[in-house]
Amino acid sequence: MEGLKLSDAELMVYIHPSQSRNVYKAICRQLSSLLFQYDETFDGVLLAYDLTVGSKQAKILAGLAPYFGVRVNTKLLLFDPKPNSLVEGKILKVSLESIHVVVLGFSAAVITDVDIREEFKYRMKDGEGRFVSRSDKGHVLKGGTMLRLQVQSFDAEVMHIAGSLLAANTGCVKWLEKKNGEALHMDRDRKRRKLAYTQVGET
Amino acid sequence: MGASEAVTDPSSLYQTDYMANDYDYDTDVVHTVRNALASVQNGESDNYDELVGVMHVKEFSNTDAVAQLASVLDALSGSVACIDIIHHRKILSAIFGMKLWDHGDVVMDALVGLIVSLAATSGKYLDSCLNMLVSNFLPPPSVIKRHSDTRVINKKREVLSRVHAALLKISVLVPLAPSRLLPMLAHKMPKIHKKDQSVVIYVENLLKLENSSIGQVGGSRILMMVMERLRDLDLEIGWDDIPQDDSSRGMFDMELEDPVEGIMDEGDELPVGSLKEDTSGENIVSELLDKLMVTSFDHLESCQNAGRLDQVFENLFESFENYILNTYKSKFTQFLMFHACSLDPESCGVKFASKLMDIFLSSNKPRATRMSAVAYLASYLARGKFLPVSVVASMLKRLVDECADYCRTCNDDIRPEAHRIFYSGCQAIMYVLCFRMRSILDVPRFRSQLIPLESILMHKLNPLMVCLPSIVAEFLRQAKAGGLFIVSDSFIFDDLLESELSRAFGGCERLDTFFPFDPILLKMSNSAISPNFNYWTMVRATYDEEDDDDDAEIIVNGDEESDEDNDGDLDYAMNKMSITPKHSFKNNMERDRLMKMPSRIRPSTSPESL
């Protein structure tokens, strides 16, 4: 899945003197306040962090409350789905007009009917809506399916992805991987057969 | 039907095809609506304006218009992708301005479906959708006035079930919705100066959210909001009428009257009407607070039934610590904790006591917080009828050990101000023993845990002189009768409630006279609390003689009823106190008065104003 990146960052975290009893906890709390929010500096939504304190020396700021700045080396896991990148998520709800997906458990993604390629036809089965591919009945998009979709836009404020299933490499992940696997398998087979025929041909 | 025909006369479309094949009709409406929406971008706004006109139904009895509205809303929820936030501002504001309370079932379902679609399909509308749903928590003002009307109650159930279902659906489809919802809940809460039923309805809604999956994310913040509002209302009920310094005037009689007046029945003889005129403003506040307390009690009971009271208790205690613990003028809000503990004595009941003990023992906390915590602990251990004696004994042991340690290591300063925490600890021990002496002394192991107490009380810091005289007197009397120890100096206090020395250790917050769990004076809340509450009248002191036990059993059995029978009849109640058949106490009025435990200064919600 694209859109996830691991960044190294050197940060300066300013701690209030009242927190000086447990500095590590205070740093974690500061960084945790940035979780699940889009940050321009990091260029992405912070999902997780791992930190090591750079140096035990901290510079005290002059001012009303003497905050002190601690140097911290962090590894940041960032989520930044650029347009036309591919992400994967679980389908929550399928209706005639839209498919609702949740990506990584926190980001809501929606694919509206205009962005679903012609190949897929809406069907009702057992009271539940689903999209079935016209070319391969086995390719089904219904509630609970893991879906690979292409990102059209990402609203960082509410973590909302507008997605599309127009590209051919989008759809049910399991089905796509199976198809890829078969294609590879067929390629290998074809090469082997070609080799065998040429050998036969030569003799 | 061609698209162009549909566009020129949409209204006829709805009427002629209304009873036709539902599927075809719906798609036609969807096409019409989508075309109307698209036409705005081309500069033609006639169809769009007509669409907006359908949204503003003036006469709700016009069934055609209503049906049209429902089908348009349905069509819109299917065309959410075609709605543009800039070009379709008018229709969006019409949608977000609609009130579910004004409409019937069909339109409500269609509107809620549209809101869920809008919220889930595009991040831009999420906040407005959540806002619209939260503003539907409260009915229009005219409906609030008739809140006890059956039709209104039914309507309330219909609307709120849909609102909450919609909020849950949105939070499933958009996982971050609850975190955006919480600030809105705080923002849209009715302001403190609105003293009508609206805050009760709003709090009911908040607690319902706390019970749902949204509560997993925001439960602690919701409880904080509720606790804060309860506290603010509590603080508005003033103490103005009572002369604070009149320590001789029947301060001791208060406790006696409290359980009596608090449990007034509906069919009570007291002329409630005339009493209300005096402090009508505060009466409204106390009634409102009473209703809110009862709503909260019901919520706690439903948490207990759902098996999640333990988890809620952690959040509840956090709100208590933030809002109530250091608010010494809080009179009733703390009973929320009492009720939660009574619902689950083994777990929550014990947790509350240990957490308070931890605060008292923690040297990191401010002194006033520690003193307040031990006052809460003492009042709780004394009054919690549901607490097993073993819990009380173990808490007492910790207090005794802590005070004994302090005695060994303290400095030579003899001013009360220098040892405030110590004195509040000693007073707490004595207060609890006034209520529980007999049951503690009955068990030899618990009795032996109190042995260090003698050395504490005989220490040069002299807690017996510094602590509240009324408590010390009662404690000594019981200690002597129970054979715990005999104090050689006689302490005659002339029934003072307080002294210079106790004031000194109590400080300006008056933590020496702080008994937070004294009987609650709100009518409905008291009925909920009283089965689990230890009234002083029910306590069997160690000096009550053996042959009183039979009489005590008769009177104390099924106590709440017998208490309620004694409305305002002080003499009978006094007789109940002196339970010996020979009436040996009755002659000694001095002793009777000293037997009563001091209450806090009574607030103005006394019989005069209730």
Side-chain angles (χ1 to χ4, degrees), chain B residues 1-13 32 35-36 46-47 50:
Chain B
M1 223 183 232
S4 48
E5 289 172 67
V7 157
T8 47
D9 192 7
S11 53
S12 65
L13 172 67
T32 317
N35 287 333
D46 290 342
N47 303 311
E50 223 176 305

Side-chain angles (χ1 to χ4, degrees), chain A residues 67-88:
Chain A
Y67 279 76
F68 56 96
V70 183
R71 242 179 227 296
V72 175
N73 296 320
T74 59
K75 270 194 164 26
L76 304 171
L77 181 65
L78 297 162
F79 181 58
D80 179 33
K82 297 257 183 298
N84 296 328
S85 61
L86 294 170
V87 294
E88 287 166 25

Side-chain angles (χ1 to χ4, degrees), chain A residues 21 36 92-93 96-98 100-102 105-110 112-114 155 157-161, chain B residues 23 34 77-81 116-117 119-124 126-127 169 172-176 180 364:
Chain A
R21 189 178 272 271
F36 292 110
L92 290 174
K93 180 177 154 193
L96 179 57
E97 303 91 19
S98 58
H100 293 270
V101 176
V102 73
F106 73 91
S107 177
V110 171
T112 48
D113 50 3
V114 297
D155 183 341
E157 210 189 309
V158 277
M159 312 290 149
H160 197 103
I161 296 176
Chain B
Y23 187 75
R34 288 195 184 191
S77 37
S79 329
V80 168
V116 173
S117 280
T121 309
S122 170
K124 298 183 284 235
L126 180 65
D127 285 347
K169 264 193 215 142
V172 166
L173 293 173
V174 185
L176 292 180
R180 299 196 78 83
N364 284 339

Side-chain angles (χ1 to χ4, degrees), chain B residues 86 112 152 265 291 325 381 410 441 491 494 534 570:
Chain B
I86 302 200
V112 157
V152 171
D265 298 327
K291 279 191 209 135
L325 183 61
L381 293 175
C410 72
L441 296 185
F491 286 88
D494 301 323
N534 223 1
L570 263 154

Side-chain angles (χ1 to χ4, degrees), chain B residues 165-186:
Chain B
L167 284 170
L168 286 177
K169 264 193 215 142
I170 294 176
S171 65
V172 166
L173 293 173
V174 185
L176 292 180
S179 57
R180 299 196 78 83
L181 181 62
L182 291 168
M184 277 178 217
L185 291 174

Side-chain angles (χ1 to χ4, degrees), chain B residues 497-529:
Chain B
L497 171 62
E498 56 191 57
S499 66
E500 278 298 324
L501 293 168
S502 77
R503 258 196 286 266
F505 99 79
C508 55
E509 303 97 346
R510 296 316 309 276
L511 289 166
D512 54 322
T513 53
F514 184 44
F515 306 106
F517 286 119
D518 273 350
I520 191 170
L521 296 172
L522 298 174
K523 213 156 71 174
M524 292 191 280
S525 313
N526 193 41
S527 340
I529 293 286

Side-chain angles (χ1 to χ4, degrees), chain B residues 82-207:
Chain B
C82 311
I83 301 180
D84 179 72
I85 197 168
I86 302 200
H87 292 112
H88 301 130
R89 220 175 298 147
K90 263 196 269 184
I91 205 165
L92 283 170
S93 61
I95 295 171
F96 295 132
M98 285 177 78
K99 270 263 182 198
L100 285 166
W101 296 85
D102 295 333
H103 297 284
D105 285 357
V106 178
V107 174
M108 279 204 283
D109 285 333
L111 179 56
V112 157
L114 173 55
I115 294 286
V116 173
S117 280
L118 275 171
T121 309
S122 170
K124 298 183 284 235
Y125 308 122
L126 180 65
D127 285 347
S128 317
C129 292
L130 292 175
N131 240 316
M132 184 266 188
L133 288 171
V134 174
S135 44
N136 272 288
F137 276 173
L138 291 178
S142 51
V143 177
I144 292 182
K145 287 202 192 77
R146 299 176 289 133
H147 64 263
S148 40
D149 200 346
T150 336
R151 271 187 320 172
V152 171
I153 293 178
N154 287 337
K155 184 71 183 173
K156 186 171 126 182
R157 192 180 38 236
E158 281 168 26
V159 172
L160 294 179
S161 61
R162 286 177 169 84
V163 168
H164 283 271
L167 284 170
L168 286 177
K169 264 193 215 142
I170 294 176
S171 65
V172 166
L173 293 173
V174 185
L176 292 180
S179 57
R180 299 196 78 83
L181 181 62
L182 291 168
M184 277 178 217
L185 291 174
H187 198 247
K188 286 196 116 59
M189 191 156 188
K191 299 283 177 264
I192 182 75
H193 59 259
K194 285 197 79 175
K195 302 284 195 287
D196 59 4
Q197 185 72 0
S198 57
V199 69
V200 180
I201 301 178
Y202 197 84
V203 166
E204 277 171 13
N205 275 300
L206 284 181
L207 293 175

